[in-house]
Amino acid sequence: MKFTKAPLQDAYVIEMEPRGDERGFFARAYCENEFREAGLVSHYAQVNNSLSVQKGTLRGMHYQLPPAAEVKLVRCLRGALYDVILDLRPDSATYGKWFGIELSEDNRTMLYVPRGFAHGFVTLRENTEAFYMVSDAYMPGGERGLRYDDPQFGIEWPIPPEVISEKDQNWPLFDPEFHAIERLRGLR
């Protein structure tokens, strides 16, 4: 696997290194030892899979507070999505900045999302399926979210989100107290 630092502190873009022949290819999508050697979280408690039927479906911007703050490893298995992360750690050099990347069945690229980052995506094709591993189990009381269109952050989506859950439409605009930003200090 190839680990490339993303423009945000502690985030990585991860590419598989396929070995192919006339049958197709073989590649590692995850290796505990390689993740540990790269200084990344190597234990995952949960694996999630989502299918979004319509192009323009938005999921996000979500994160969890400690003690269940999550690292996520996100990959698109079918279709394509534009994946966005936003650094909410007040002591980070990239606090308040966002990064987006296309993940697709064609590029097989993965995004490593550190703890203390909000995460979301919009689907670029119909029937897009995302697969993501998370380091901690979901804790309902620790869930938080940001509006995908919060002017505080100015996330530029490549297409307008059209299918949005009621919950994701109703997250409040950025409020350091509600979003418990101080609880994200020191996370990686």
Side-chain angles (χ1 to χ4, degrees), residues 89-138:
R89 303 167 303 169
D91 55 342
S92 169
T94 55
Y95 170 71
K97 303 216 180 314
W98 65 273
F99 168 70
I101 186 171
E102 183 174 324
L103 305 179
S104 72
E105 66 181 288
D106 304 315
N107 68 24
R108 295 183 178 87
T109 299
M110 295 176 281
L111 185 60
Y112 178 89
V113 184
R115 290 179 177 95
F117 278 64
H119 170 258
F121 61 82
V122 66
T123 57
L124 303 175
R125 298 183 199 159
E126 292 181 352
N127 296 310
T128 292
E129 192 168 1
F131 181 88
Y132 43 106
M133 298 165 52
V134 293
S135 62
D136 292 84
Y138 174 70

Side-chain angles (χ1 to χ4, degrees), residues 48-124:
N48 301 325
N49 192 219
S50 70
L51 171 67
S52 299
V53 175
Q54 293 181 290
K55 176 181 175 178
T57 298
L58 177 98
R59 294 180 185 268
M61 299 288 293
H62 306 142
Y63 64 100
Q64 287 202 158
L65 298 172
E70 302 169 320
V71 167
K72 293 180 183 177
L73 182 61
V74 185
R75 181 172 174 217
C76 181
L77 297 178
R78 181 169 39 143
L81 55 89
Y82 187 72
D83 209 31
V84 173
I85 56 176
L86 170 65
D87 190 349
L88 293 174
R89 303 167 303 169
D91 55 342
S92 169
T94 55
Y95 170 71
K97 303 216 180 314
W98 65 273
F99 168 70
I101 186 171
E102 183 174 324
L103 305 179
S104 72
E105 66 181 288
D106 304 315
N107 68 24
R108 295 183 178 87
T109 299
M110 295 176 281
L111 185 60
Y112 178 89
V113 184
R115 290 179 177 95
F117 278 64
H119 170 258
F121 61 82
V122 66
T123 57
L124 303 175

Side-chain angles (χ1 to χ4, degrees), residues 60-61 63 86 88 118 144-148 153 171-172 174 179:
M61 299 288 293
Y63 64 100
L86 170 65
L88 293 174
R144 291 291 188 280
L146 294 164
R147 286 187 52 92
Y148 72 96
F153 304 108
W171 287 116
F174 183 67
H179 290 101

